[in-house]
Amino acid sequence: MARFTITQTQASDSWFWECTNNPSINGFARSKKEARQRARENCRDGEANITPPPVDYIVVDGVMTEFTFENLVGDEVTFYASEIPEDIFLYVFGYDKTDSDLLSKEDVIIAILKIWGVFKSGGTDVLANHNLSEAQGDILFESTWQSIILEISDDETEYSWTFNGR
Amino acid sequence: MKQNILGLLMAGSLLLCTMLAYGIRPPGTIKAKQDGKMVYVDKEPISHMDWFAYLWHLQHVDSLSEAEILLLMPDTNFYRTVEEFSMIRFDERRDAPVVGLNDVQKTSFAQWRSCYVQQKKKYANFIYEVITADEYDELCSQNRKLKKIDNEPQVLRCVVKNYSGAASR
């Protein structure tokens, strides 16, 4: 998983990228797209501290309609309540002590993977589709991890997880 | 009839071009008036990151040697060593104005910046020139929105004067 930051320079309209875990790996590019591509190529150290990012959410008449945040690669992402329901959103982001017994493990894991931007496909097969064991699924669901190393193959088909617990 | 349609098309294209020209400004600049003529001047002084972008492109795209790059390092009265200057990109000073540049370095930067931004078609008519602290002072007296900073004489700003249609606006 590549983690990096991208900023624009004012004078020349070029884009600066640098790896979060190793800022000495950096460079400039003509466009944001090119900067992102370069960063993805160069920041693949396989390590990422995956934590829920800051999030803005919109509530209408007391009901959440959508929420927006920056994903792991710096893209702004918006989800609507139809994609990730409010109770799961609150549970994943730790805003509310939602009773986990009332939630489906698969639904929560799908939401987490979507939020991290690494969701492929799923339903009841979500664990198998992402090469997660039952035990790893429980760790994700119960949020009992301290850090996760996720390596994804270049063709984005193979997932390799390493969990470090609390 | 054909001529009328052609005329309409040409007028439409001209209008579109004029609208586009009005909407596009050179990167990093704002509009200002200089003796009644419209110019574009840097809103902020050139930052360390802008200077690093310049050095990076010279080194990695234009393949300048390390010795040539060293000639573009600012005065060591402002930065003790080249290493210290290089490390600024990793700290909070990265967005602060670069200082300690000589006239040759400033002019070289303005030339590179012009060439660099001109590679994008929409900026093809813009040529950056260095503006001296006195000229900028004069410009500030004519334009309230322009601001000076404490160490204005030590920083680098550029102005774009000679681009298509500038004189009449």
Side-chain angles (χ1 to χ4, degrees), chain B residues 88-116:
Chain B
I88 289 175
R89 80 175 65 188
F90 303 117
D91 64 39
E92 69 278 3
R93 291 174 294 171
R94 57 164 60 180
D95 295 320
V98 62
V99 292
L101 302 170
N102 62 39
D103 288 347
V104 174
Q105 291 171 330
K106 288 177 179 178
T107 307
S108 300
F109 175 82
Q111 286 170 347
W112 169 82
R113 186 180 176 189
S114 303
C115 292
Y116 185 81

Side-chain angles (χ1 to χ4, degrees), chain B residues 109-142:
Chain B
F109 175 82
Q111 286 170 347
W112 169 82
R113 186 180 176 189
S114 303
C115 292
Y116 185 81
V117 303
Q118 282 172 5
Q119 288 170 33
K120 284 187 180 168
K121 217 173 179 179
K122 61 181 176 178
Y123 302 135
N125 294 325
F126 299 132
I127 298 169
Y128 291 91
E129 299 169 37
V130 175
I131 184 168
T132 64
D134 288 344
E135 282 176 311
Y136 185 68
D137 198 34
E138 179 63 28
L139 211 52
C140 288
S141 67
Q142 295 175 36

Side-chain angles (χ1 to χ4, degrees), chain A residues 5 7-18 22-32 34 38, chain B residues 27-29 42 46 49-50 52-54 56-57 89-90 94 109 112-113 116-120 122-123 128:
Chain A
T5 55
T7 49
Q8 189 177 21
T9 60
Q10 294 301 309
S12 55
D13 198 24
S14 56
W15 295 82
F16 177 69
W17 61 265
E18 67 183 342
N22 188 356
S24 63
I25 302 173
N26 58 53
F28 288 86
R30 287 210 67 86
S31 65
K32 192 175 185 181
E34 187 191 335
R38 295 268 175 270
Chain B
T29 65
D42 273 332
I46 300 306
M49 280 310 283
D50 293 321
F52 289 130
Y54 169 48
W56 190 91
H57 281 93
R89 80 175 65 188
F90 303 117
R94 57 164 60 180
F109 175 82
W112 169 82
R113 186 180 176 189
Y116 185 81
V117 303
Q118 282 172 5
Q119 288 170 33
K120 284 187 180 168
K122 61 181 176 178
Y123 302 135
Y128 291 91

Side-chain angles (χ1 to χ4, degrees), chain B residues 10 13 21 42 48 58 72 86 89 109 125 160:
Chain B
M10 284 173 69
S13 304
D42 273 332
H48 289 105
L58 292 182
L72 296 166
S86 302
R89 80 175 65 188
F109 175 82
N125 294 325
V160 175

